[in-house]
Protein backbone atom coordinates (compact mmCIF):
# COMPACT_ATOMS: atom_id res chain seq x y z
CA UNK A 1 0.00 0.00 0.00
CA UNK A 2 1.32 3.43 -0.97
CA UNK A 3 1.87 6.00 1.79
CA UNK A 4 0.64 9.53 1.07
CA UNK A 5 2.01 12.80 2.46
CA UNK A 6 -0.13 15.91 1.92
CA UNK A 7 1.48 19.34 1.67
CA UNK A 8 -1.15 22.05 2.23
CA UNK A 9 -0.03 25.34 0.71
CA UNK A 10 -1.52 28.65 1.89
CA UNK A 11 0.50 31.33 0.12
CA UNK A 12 3.03 30.10 -2.42
CA UNK A 13 6.78 29.58 -2.43
CA UNK A 14 7.85 30.92 1.00
CA UNK A 15 6.43 28.02 3.02
CA UNK A 16 7.63 25.51 0.43
CA UNK A 17 11.23 26.77 0.62
CA UNK A 18 11.37 25.87 4.31
CA UNK A 19 9.79 22.44 3.74
CA UNK A 20 11.43 21.52 0.42
CA UNK A 21 14.54 19.81 1.91
CA UNK A 22 12.25 17.60 4.00
CA UNK A 23 9.89 16.74 1.14
CA UNK A 24 12.88 16.02 -1.09
CA UNK A 25 14.00 13.32 1.35
CA UNK A 26 10.53 12.00 2.15
CA UNK A 27 9.69 11.42 -1.52
CA UNK A 28 11.67 8.16 -1.25
CA UNK A 29 9.14 6.84 1.26
CA UNK A 30 5.92 8.73 0.47
CA UNK A 31 3.93 9.88 -2.52
CA UNK A 32 3.57 13.65 -2.11
CA UNK A 33 0.25 15.33 -2.93
CA UNK A 34 -0.20 19.12 -2.83
CA UNK A 35 -3.40 21.00 -1.96
CA UNK A 36 -3.43 24.76 -2.60
CA UNK A 37 -5.67 26.96 -0.45
CA UNK A 38 -6.70 28.89 -3.57
CA UNK A 39 -5.54 29.77 -7.06
CA UNK A 40 -3.45 32.70 -5.80
CA UNK A 41 -1.29 30.32 -3.74
CA UNK A 42 -0.58 28.26 -6.86
CA UNK A 43 0.21 31.36 -8.94
CA UNK A 44 2.58 32.74 -6.26
CA UNK A 45 4.45 29.45 -6.24
CA UNK A 46 4.61 29.49 -10.03
CA UNK A 47 6.33 32.90 -9.97
CA UNK A 48 9.32 31.38 -8.15
CA UNK A 49 10.56 29.44 -11.16
CA UNK A 50 13.29 27.46 -9.40
CA UNK A 51 11.15 26.30 -6.47
CA UNK A 52 8.21 25.59 -8.81
CA UNK A 53 10.44 23.44 -11.01
CA UNK A 54 11.71 21.40 -8.04
CA UNK A 55 8.21 21.05 -6.57
CA UNK A 56 6.86 19.63 -9.84
CA UNK A 57 9.49 16.91 -9.70
CA UNK A 58 8.42 15.67 -6.27
CA UNK A 59 4.64 16.24 -6.20
CA UNK A 60 2.57 13.37 -7.59
CA UNK A 61 -0.50 15.53 -8.00
CA UNK A 62 -2.20 18.76 -7.01
CA UNK A 63 -5.59 20.14 -6.17
CA UNK A 64 -6.61 23.82 -5.95
CA UNK A 65 -9.43 24.40 -3.47
CA UNK A 66 -12.47 26.39 -4.62
CA UNK A 67 -15.05 28.29 -2.62
CA UNK A 68 -17.70 26.11 -4.26
CA UNK A 69 -16.28 22.91 -2.73
CA UNK A 70 -18.77 21.53 -0.18
CA UNK A 71 -20.58 24.84 -0.55
CA UNK A 72 -23.71 24.03 1.49
CA UNK A 73 -21.74 22.48 4.35
CA UNK A 74 -19.36 25.47 4.36
CA UNK A 75 -22.27 27.91 4.56
CA UNK A 76 -23.76 25.99 7.48
CA UNK A 77 -20.29 25.72 9.04
CA UNK A 78 -19.93 29.52 8.87
CA UNK A 79 -23.42 30.17 10.28
CA UNK A 80 -23.02 27.78 13.22
CA UNK A 81 -19.60 29.17 14.04
CA UNK A 82 -20.25 32.92 13.77
CA UNK A 83 -23.97 33.45 14.36
CA UNK A 84 -25.74 30.56 16.07
CA UNK A 85 -22.65 29.72 18.16
CA UNK A 86 -23.59 26.04 18.19
CA UNK A 87 -20.49 24.00 18.95
CA UNK A 88 -22.28 20.70 18.26
CA UNK A 89 -23.47 21.61 14.74
CA UNK A 90 -20.24 23.51 14.02
CA UNK A 91 -18.29 20.31 14.70
CA UNK A 92 -20.81 18.23 12.76
CA UNK A 93 -20.40 20.38 9.63
CA UNK A 94 -16.62 20.49 10.05
CA UNK A 95 -16.42 16.71 10.22
CA UNK A 96 -18.40 16.44 6.97
CA UNK A 97 -16.03 18.84 5.16
CA UNK A 98 -12.61 17.99 6.57
CA UNK A 99 -11.93 14.25 6.77
CA UNK A 100 -9.74 11.54 5.29
CA UNK A 101 -12.55 10.26 3.02
CA UNK A 102 -12.74 13.68 1.33
CA UNK A 103 -8.95 13.78 0.97
CA UNK A 104 -8.95 10.26 -0.51
CA UNK A 105 -11.59 11.24 -3.08
CA UNK A 106 -9.53 14.28 -4.11
CA UNK A 107 -6.34 12.22 -4.48
CA UNK A 108 -8.07 9.46 -6.48
CA UNK A 109 -9.60 12.06 -8.79
CA UNK A 110 -6.32 13.88 -9.41
CA UNK A 111 -3.91 10.90 -9.61
CA UNK A 112 -3.86 7.29 -10.78
CA UNK A 113 -3.41 6.11 -7.18
CA UNK A 114 -6.08 3.71 -5.90
CA UNK A 115 -4.73 1.80 -2.91
CA UNK A 116 -3.05 4.17 -0.44
CA UNK A 117 -2.91 5.40 3.13
CA UNK A 118 -2.73 9.10 4.07
CA UNK A 119 -0.10 9.36 6.83
CA UNK A 120 1.09 12.97 7.17
CA UNK A 121 -0.50 16.39 6.63
CA UNK A 122 1.86 19.41 6.59
CA UNK A 123 0.38 22.84 7.35
CA UNK A 124 2.36 26.08 7.87
CA UNK A 125 1.83 27.55 11.35
CA UNK A 126 0.85 31.08 10.30
CA UNK A 127 -2.64 30.18 9.11
CA UNK A 128 -5.67 28.47 10.58
CA UNK A 129 -6.94 25.40 8.77
CA UNK A 130 -10.09 23.35 9.25
CA UNK A 131 -8.14 20.42 7.85
CA UNK A 132 -5.72 20.39 10.79
CA UNK A 133 -8.45 20.84 13.40
CA UNK A 134 -10.68 18.03 12.20
CA UNK A 135 -7.98 15.62 11.01
CA UNK A 136 -6.50 15.87 14.50
CA UNK A 137 -9.92 15.14 15.96
CA UNK A 138 -10.44 12.21 13.59
CA UNK A 139 -7.06 10.81 14.64
CA UNK A 140 -6.18 8.92 11.46
CA UNK A 141 -3.55 11.28 10.03
CA UNK A 142 -0.60 12.91 11.82
CA UNK A 143 -0.58 16.69 11.35
CA UNK A 144 2.63 18.74 11.25
CA UNK A 145 3.13 22.51 11.64
CA UNK A 146 6.26 24.36 10.51
CA UNK A 147 7.42 27.97 9.81
CA UNK A 148 7.53 29.68 6.44
CA UNK A 149 10.47 31.94 7.24
CA UNK A 150 13.56 32.28 9.43
CA UNK A 151 12.03 34.89 11.72
CA UNK A 152 12.64 34.66 15.47
CA UNK A 153 9.53 35.21 17.61
CA UNK A 154 9.92 37.07 20.90
CA UNK A 155 7.42 38.05 23.59
CA UNK A 156 3.68 37.56 23.61
CA UNK A 157 2.90 37.70 19.92
CA UNK A 158 -0.78 37.92 19.09
CA UNK A 159 -2.09 34.89 17.23
CA UNK A 160 -5.62 34.67 15.88
CA UNK A 161 -5.69 30.88 16.18
CA UNK A 162 -4.33 27.94 18.13
CA UNK A 163 -2.04 25.30 16.65
CA UNK A 164 -3.65 21.91 17.09
CA UNK A 165 -1.23 19.78 15.07
CA UNK A 166 0.52 16.74 16.51
CA UNK A 167 3.92 18.39 16.24
CA UNK A 168 5.34 21.83 15.44
CA UNK A 169 8.86 22.54 14.22
CA UNK A 170 10.42 25.89 15.14
CA UNK A 171 13.58 27.62 13.97
CA UNK A 172 15.02 29.07 17.15
CA UNK A 173 15.38 28.29 20.85
CA UNK A 174 13.86 31.73 21.48
CA UNK A 175 10.60 30.74 19.72
CA UNK A 176 9.56 28.19 22.32
CA UNK A 177 8.24 30.62 24.94
CA UNK A 178 6.00 32.41 22.43
CA UNK A 179 4.56 29.27 20.85
CA UNK A 180 3.95 27.60 24.20
CA UNK A 181 1.06 30.08 24.51
CA UNK A 182 -0.83 28.56 21.57
CA UNK A 183 0.19 24.90 21.51
CA UNK A 184 1.19 22.13 23.86
CA UNK A 185 4.85 22.41 24.90
CA UNK A 186 5.25 18.66 24.39
CA UNK A 187 4.52 19.11 20.67
CA UNK A 188 7.27 21.70 20.12
CA UNK A 189 10.53 20.67 18.45
CA UNK A 190 13.31 23.25 18.03
CA UNK A 191 14.71 21.95 14.77
CA UNK A 192 16.39 24.87 13.05
CA UNK A 193 15.68 25.81 9.44
CA UNK A 194 16.39 22.95 6.97
CA UNK A 195 17.03 25.28 4.05
CA UNK A 196 20.25 26.38 5.79
CA UNK A 197 21.54 22.82 6.16
CA UNK A 198 24.94 22.79 4.35
CA UNK A 199 24.01 19.60 2.47
CA UNK A 200 20.91 21.31 1.05
CA UNK A 201 22.70 24.54 0.17
CA UNK A 202 25.32 22.56 -1.70
CA UNK A 203 22.68 20.52 -3.53
CA UNK A 204 20.10 23.19 -4.26
CA UNK A 205 21.91 26.54 -4.55
CA UNK A 206 24.63 27.23 -7.05
CA UNK A 207 27.16 29.55 -5.48
CA UNK A 208 27.12 32.87 -7.33
CA UNK A 209 30.15 35.12 -7.66
CA UNK A 210 28.82 38.13 -5.75
CA UNK A 211 31.95 38.79 -3.71
CA UNK A 212 32.30 42.39 -4.85
CA UNK A 213 28.58 43.10 -5.24
CA UNK A 214 25.80 44.50 -3.07
CA UNK A 215 22.48 42.67 -2.91
CA UNK A 216 19.35 44.73 -2.29
CA UNK A 217 16.22 42.87 -1.18
CA UNK A 218 13.82 45.51 -2.44
CA UNK A 219 10.10 45.71 -1.68
CA UNK A 220 8.54 47.73 -4.51
CA UNK A 221 5.29 49.07 -3.02
CA UNK A 222 4.69 51.95 -5.44
CA UNK A 223 1.39 50.58 -6.79
CA UNK A 224 0.01 49.84 -3.31
CA UNK A 225 0.08 53.33 -1.82
CA UNK A 226 -1.45 56.74 -2.42
CA UNK A 227 0.39 59.61 -4.12
CA UNK A 228 1.90 61.36 -1.04
CA UNK A 229 3.46 58.15 0.30
CA UNK A 230 4.52 57.06 -3.17
CA UNK A 231 6.52 60.30 -3.41
CA UNK A 232 8.29 59.43 -0.15
CA UNK A 233 9.15 55.98 -1.50
CA UNK A 234 10.52 57.58 -4.65
CA UNK A 235 12.66 60.00 -2.64
CA UNK A 236 14.01 57.15 -0.51
CA UNK A 237 15.01 55.14 -3.59
CA UNK A 238 16.55 58.20 -5.29
CA UNK A 239 18.62 58.93 -2.15
CA UNK A 240 19.72 55.29 -2.07
CA UNK A 241 20.72 55.42 -5.74
CA UNK A 242 22.80 58.57 -5.16
CA UNK A 243 24.66 56.83 -2.31
CA UNK A 244 25.26 53.73 -4.44
CA UNK A 245 26.53 55.87 -7.32
CA UNK A 246 29.53 56.90 -5.18
CA UNK A 247 30.44 53.30 -4.29
CA UNK A 248 30.93 52.19 -7.89
CA UNK A 249 29.87 48.61 -7.15
CA UNK A 250 27.61 46.30 -9.12
CA UNK A 251 24.17 46.09 -7.52
CA UNK A 252 21.85 43.07 -7.60
CA UNK A 253 18.16 43.77 -6.98
CA UNK A 254 16.13 40.91 -5.55
CA UNK A 255 12.52 42.12 -5.81
CA UNK A 256 9.79 40.95 -3.45
CA UNK A 257 7.68 38.27 -5.22
CA UNK A 258 4.31 40.00 -4.65
CA UNK A 259 5.18 43.66 -3.90
CA UNK A 260 6.90 44.15 -7.24
CA UNK A 261 5.76 47.36 -8.95
CA UNK A 262 8.06 48.02 -11.91
CA UNK A 263 8.15 51.75 -11.14
CA UNK A 264 11.54 51.31 -9.44
CA UNK A 265 13.08 50.52 -12.84
CA UNK A 266 12.21 53.98 -14.16
CA UNK A 267 14.03 55.59 -11.23
CA UNK A 268 17.06 53.33 -11.67
CA UNK A 269 17.26 54.10 -15.38
CA UNK A 270 17.01 57.82 -14.70
CA UNK A 271 19.45 58.17 -11.77
CA UNK A 272 21.72 55.10 -11.52
CA UNK A 273 25.32 55.41 -12.76
CA UNK A 274 26.31 51.96 -11.51
CA UNK A 275 25.85 48.59 -13.16
CA UNK A 276 22.74 46.83 -11.89
CA UNK A 277 20.66 43.79 -12.63
CA UNK A 278 17.59 42.01 -11.32
CA UNK A 279 17.76 38.44 -10.09
CA UNK A 280 15.09 35.84 -9.38
CA UNK A 281 17.56 33.64 -7.56
CA UNK A 282 17.08 32.89 -3.89
CA UNK A 283 18.65 35.29 -1.38
CA UNK A 284 20.66 32.42 0.09
CA UNK A 285 22.25 31.95 -3.30
CA UNK A 286 22.86 35.66 -3.80
CA UNK A 287 24.13 36.48 -0.33
CA UNK A 288 26.60 33.65 0.27
CA UNK A 289 29.61 35.80 -0.51
CA UNK A 290 28.32 39.30 -1.32
CA UNK A 291 29.72 42.49 0.23
CA UNK A 292 26.45 43.02 2.07
CA UNK A 293 22.69 42.72 1.83
CA UNK A 294 20.43 45.79 2.08
CA UNK A 295 16.87 45.30 3.36
CA UNK A 296 13.82 47.33 4.34
CA UNK A 297 12.79 47.94 7.95
CA UNK A 298 10.58 45.07 9.20
CA UNK A 299 11.65 42.75 6.38
CA UNK A 300 12.77 39.23 7.31
CA UNK A 301 14.73 38.94 4.05
CA UNK A 302 17.97 39.73 5.85
CA UNK A 303 17.94 36.39 7.68
CA UNK A 304 19.30 34.63 4.59
CA UNK A 305 22.33 36.92 4.63
CA UNK A 306 22.71 36.68 8.42
CA UNK A 307 22.74 32.88 8.21
CA UNK A 308 25.38 33.16 5.49
CA UNK A 309 27.51 35.33 7.83
CA UNK A 310 27.18 38.39 5.64
CA UNK A 311 26.56 41.95 6.94
CA UNK A 312 22.97 43.19 6.67
CA UNK A 313 22.28 46.91 6.48
CA UNK A 314 18.74 48.21 6.90
CA UNK A 315 17.36 51.18 4.98
CA UNK A 316 16.39 54.19 7.04
CA UNK A 317 12.66 54.39 7.92
CA UNK A 318 10.36 56.76 6.09
CA UNK A 319 8.91 59.52 8.28
CA UNK A 320 5.17 59.36 8.86
CA UNK A 321 3.61 62.82 9.07
CA UNK A 322 0.39 62.05 10.90
CA UNK A 323 -1.52 59.43 12.88
CA UNK A 324 -4.07 59.24 10.03
CA UNK A 325 -1.33 58.34 7.55
CA UNK A 326 0.09 55.78 10.01
CA UNK A 327 -3.32 54.11 10.48
CA UNK A 328 -3.81 53.93 6.75
CA UNK A 329 -0.43 52.24 6.27
CA UNK A 330 -1.14 49.81 9.13
CA UNK A 331 -4.40 48.81 7.42
CA UNK A 332 -2.43 48.16 4.22
CA UNK A 333 0.18 46.08 6.14
CA UNK A 334 2.80 48.64 5.12
CA UNK A 335 3.63 49.83 8.60
CA UNK A 336 4.41 47.69 11.65
CA UNK A 337 4.45 49.13 15.17
CA UNK A 338 6.42 46.35 16.83
CA UNK A 339 10.22 46.39 16.61
CA UNK A 340 11.28 43.19 14.77
CA UNK A 341 13.09 40.47 16.70
CA UNK A 342 16.25 40.70 14.59
CA UNK A 343 16.45 44.40 15.48
CA UNK A 344 15.89 43.75 19.19
CA UNK A 345 18.65 41.14 19.12
CA UNK A 346 21.02 43.46 17.19
CA UNK A 347 21.44 40.93 14.40
CA UNK A 348 21.39 43.59 11.69
CA UNK A 349 22.71 47.14 11.38
CA UNK A 350 19.98 49.77 11.37
CA UNK A 351 20.23 53.28 9.98
CA UNK A 352 18.41 56.47 10.89
CA UNK A 353 18.87 58.63 7.79
CA UNK A 354 20.47 58.71 4.33
CA UNK A 355 23.65 60.18 5.87
CA UNK A 356 23.79 57.44 8.50
CA UNK A 357 23.26 54.79 5.82
CA UNK A 358 25.97 56.35 3.66
CA UNK A 359 28.54 56.22 6.48
CA UNK A 360 27.79 52.62 7.40
CA UNK A 361 27.74 51.17 3.92
CA UNK A 362 31.10 52.83 3.21
CA UNK A 363 32.54 51.08 6.27
CA UNK A 364 31.20 47.74 5.03
CA UNK A 365 32.67 48.28 1.57
CA UNK A 366 35.99 49.14 3.22
CA UNK A 367 35.92 45.63 4.80
CA UNK A 368 35.17 46.60 8.39
CA UNK A 369 34.30 43.16 9.81
CA UNK A 370 32.43 44.65 12.78
CA UNK A 371 29.29 44.49 10.64
CA UNK A 372 29.32 40.68 10.35
CA UNK A 373 27.13 39.37 13.14
CA UNK A 374 28.02 36.01 14.68
CA UNK A 375 25.49 36.10 17.55
CA UNK A 376 22.89 34.27 15.44
CA UNK A 377 24.62 30.98 16.32
CA UNK A 378 23.45 31.35 19.92
CA UNK A 379 19.80 31.28 18.94
CA UNK A 380 19.67 28.41 16.43
CA UNK A 381 20.57 24.73 16.64
CA UNK A 382 23.66 23.80 14.56
CA UNK A 383 22.97 24.02 10.83
CA UNK A 384 24.68 20.67 10.23
CA UNK A 385 22.22 17.74 10.13
CA UNK A 386 19.12 19.96 10.47
CA UNK A 387 17.35 17.90 7.81
CA UNK A 388 18.14 14.61 9.54
CA UNK A 389 17.04 16.08 12.88
CA UNK A 390 13.57 16.75 11.42
CA UNK A 391 13.34 13.41 9.62
CA UNK A 392 14.13 11.59 12.87
CA UNK A 393 11.32 13.41 14.67
CA UNK A 394 8.84 12.57 11.89
CA UNK A 395 9.85 8.93 12.17
CA UNK A 396 9.15 9.00 15.92
CA UNK A 397 5.79 10.73 15.28
CA UNK A 398 4.71 7.97 12.89
CA UNK A 399 5.43 5.28 15.49
CA UNK A 400 3.05 6.78 18.06
Amino acid sequence: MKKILIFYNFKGSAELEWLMPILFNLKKKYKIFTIFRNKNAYEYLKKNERVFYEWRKISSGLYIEKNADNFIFKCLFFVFKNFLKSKYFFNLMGEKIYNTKTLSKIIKKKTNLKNFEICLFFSEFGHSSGWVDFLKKEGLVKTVHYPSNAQIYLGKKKFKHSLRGDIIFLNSYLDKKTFSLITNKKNIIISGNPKYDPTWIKKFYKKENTRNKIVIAYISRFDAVDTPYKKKLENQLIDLIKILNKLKKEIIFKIHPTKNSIHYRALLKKYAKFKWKESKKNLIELSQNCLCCVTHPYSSAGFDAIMSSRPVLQLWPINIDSEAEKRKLINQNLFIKEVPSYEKLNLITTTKSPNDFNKKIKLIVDKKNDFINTKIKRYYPPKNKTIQRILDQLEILQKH
Side-chain angles (χ1 to χ4, degrees):
M1 182 181 289
K2 297 286 185 184
K3 291 185 176 183
I4 299 287
L5 177 164
I6 293 178
F7 161 51
Y8 190 80
N9 185 281
F10 287 97
K11 56 183 180 181
S13 65
E15 59 203 83
L16 181 55
E17 284 187 48
W18 194 100
L19 194 60
M20 181 69 82
I22 308 306
L23 296 181
F24 192 85
N25 282 272
L26 291 177
K27 70 183 177 66
K28 303 166 190 173
K29 186 176 179 180
Y30 299 88
K31 288 286 186 181
I32 296 169
F33 187 83
T34 306
I35 298 179
F36 291 95
R37 177 68 184 87
N38 50 40
K39 191 174 181 181
N40 283 342
Y42 176 75
E43 293 299 331
Y44 285 147
L45 175 57
K46 202 172 179 181
K47 286 180 180 180
N48 191 323
E49 294 176 3
R50 177 71 191 282
V51 175
F52 184 73
Y53 172 76
E54 296 295 335
W55 164 77
R56 288 183 66 186
K57 290 196 298 186
I58 64 172
S59 186
S60 298
L62 71 98
Y63 179 71
I64 301 173
E65 286 189 314
K66 305 176 186 66
N67 290 332
D69 295 343
N70 295 301
F71 182 71
I72 295 175
F73 286 137
K74 282 183 178 178
C75 288
L76 292 171
F77 182 78
F78 181 81
V79 170
F80 286 126
K81 179 181 179 182
N82 295 287
F83 296 104
L84 300 181
K85 308 292 184 181
S86 172
K87 189 173 182 180
Y88 172 78
F89 285 106
F90 163 75
N91 286 330
L92 188 64
M93 294 303 105
E95 289 165 7
K96 289 183 179 295
I97 300 168
Y98 306 107
N99 55 66
T100 50
K101 284 186 179 179
T102 301
L103 288 175
S104 295
K105 287 179 183 177
I106 291 171
I107 293 169
K108 285 177 181 177
K109 186 177 180 180
K110 294 295 181 178
T111 69
N112 58 3
L113 299 170
K114 303 300 178 187
N115 189 24
F116 56 83
E117 175 191 9
I118 303 170
C119 299
L120 292 170
F121 188 98
F122 284 84
S123 175
E124 193 262 355
F125 68 42
H127 299 268
S128 178
S129 168
W131 286 113
V132 173
D133 293 346
F134 289 97
L135 288 176
K136 177 67 185 282
K137 189 175 180 182
E138 191 180 38
L140 300 176
V141 178
K142 298 295 185 183
T143 51
V144 181
H145 292 300
Y146 64 96
S148 63
N149 56 51
Q151 183 67 276
I152 293 175
Y153 293 86
L154 300 173
K156 294 183 178 180
K157 181 176 172 60
K158 292 182 180 179
F159 288 91
K160 295 180 180 178
H161 59 277
S162 297
L163 296 174
R164 299 183 179 90
D166 293 288
I167 194 171
I168 174 171
F169 292 107
L170 297 175
N171 291 317
S172 168
Y173 300 120
L174 299 177
D175 294 336
K176 189 168 186 176
K177 184 177 180 180
T178 299
F179 282 86
S180 294
L181 301 173
I182 58 169
T183 193
N184 192 322
K185 288 182 182 180
K186 295 178 181 178
N187 298 339
I188 294 175
I189 304 294
I190 308 302
S191 61
N193 192 324
K195 75 176 184 178
Y196 298 130
D197 191 309
T199 59
W200 182 249
I201 288 177
K202 187 176 180 181
K203 180 192 294 286
F204 192 69
Y205 300 112
K206 183 180 178 182
K207 199 164 187 177
E208 175 145 335
N209 181 18
T210 53
R211 191 170 303 158
N212 202 33
K213 299 171 185 176
I214 296 169
V215 175
I216 299 180
Y218 193 72
I219 303 174
S220 189
R221 300 185 174 102
F222 295 104
D223 293 342
V225 298
D226 55 21
T227 302
Y229 196 75
K230 180 178 179 180
K231 187 65 179 175
K232 292 180 180 181
L233 290 175
E234 288 177 344
N235 290 338
Q236 183 190 52
L237 181 54
I238 291 168
D239 285 341
L240 174 62
I241 291 170
K242 289 178 179 178
I243 292 168
L244 296 174
N245 279 338
K246 299 173 186 176
L247 299 179
K248 298 179 181 179
K249 299 291 181 183
E250 184 174 344
I251 309 298
I252 300 172
F253 279 87
K254 168 67 177 173
I255 306 300
H256 192 281
T258 58
K259 299 177 180 69
N260 51 15
S261 164
I262 62 171
H263 182 62
Y264 72 94
R265 292 180 187 168
L267 298 176
L268 281 166
K269 288 174 182 177
K270 183 174 181 179
Y271 296 100
K273 298 177 182 177
F274 49 83
K275 183 180 179 183
W276 63 274
K277 68 176 183 178
E278 298 171 12
S279 178
K280 293 183 179 180
K281 291 183 178 180
N282 191 282
L283 269 173
I284 297 176
E285 202 163 357
L286 295 173
S287 63
Q288 282 184 75
N289 59 351
C290 65
L291 276 172
C292 73
C293 179
V294 175
T295 67
H296 286 266
Y298 312 112
S299 170
S300 62
F303 269 102
D304 286 339
I306 293 169
M307 297 301 284
S308 300
S309 298
R310 306 315 303 155
V312 181
L313 188 60
Q314 190 172 274
L315 284 171
W316 60 95
I318 292 175
N319 292 326
I320 308 299
D321 295 330
S322 65
E323 283 299 316
E325 185 178 17
K326 185 183 290 186
R327 285 195 298 272
K328 190 172 184 179
L329 293 170
I330 290 171
N331 292 334
Q332 295 175 306
N333 291 320
L334 297 176
F335 181 85
I336 303 170
K337 293 180 181 178
E338 186 181 352
V339 177
S341 60
Y342 50 79
E343 197 170 320
K344 289 179 181 177
L345 296 167
N346 294 315
L347 296 176
I348 64 170
T349 302
T350 59
T351 61
K352 298 176 181 178
S353 65
N355 284 339
D356 189 29
F357 183 93
N358 184 42
K359 290 175 185 176
K360 288 174 179 175
I361 199 166
K362 281 183 177 178
L363 288 172
I364 292 172
V365 170
D366 291 339
K367 306 288 191 302
K368 302 294 183 182
N369 291 329
D370 293 344
F371 289 90
I372 296 179
N373 201 307
T374 58
K375 288 195 297 184
I376 192 72
K377 294 177 181 178
R378 302 178 198 170
Y379 309 132
Y380 280 81
K383 289 187 286 186
N384 283 330
K385 299 185 179 179
T386 301
I387 295 171
Q388 191 57 52
R389 195 179 301 134
I390 295 171
L391 294 175
D392 289 345
Q393 289 296 330
L394 291 172
E395 190 71 27
I396 293 170
L397 178 66
Q398 283 287 277
K399 291 176 180 177
H400 287 77

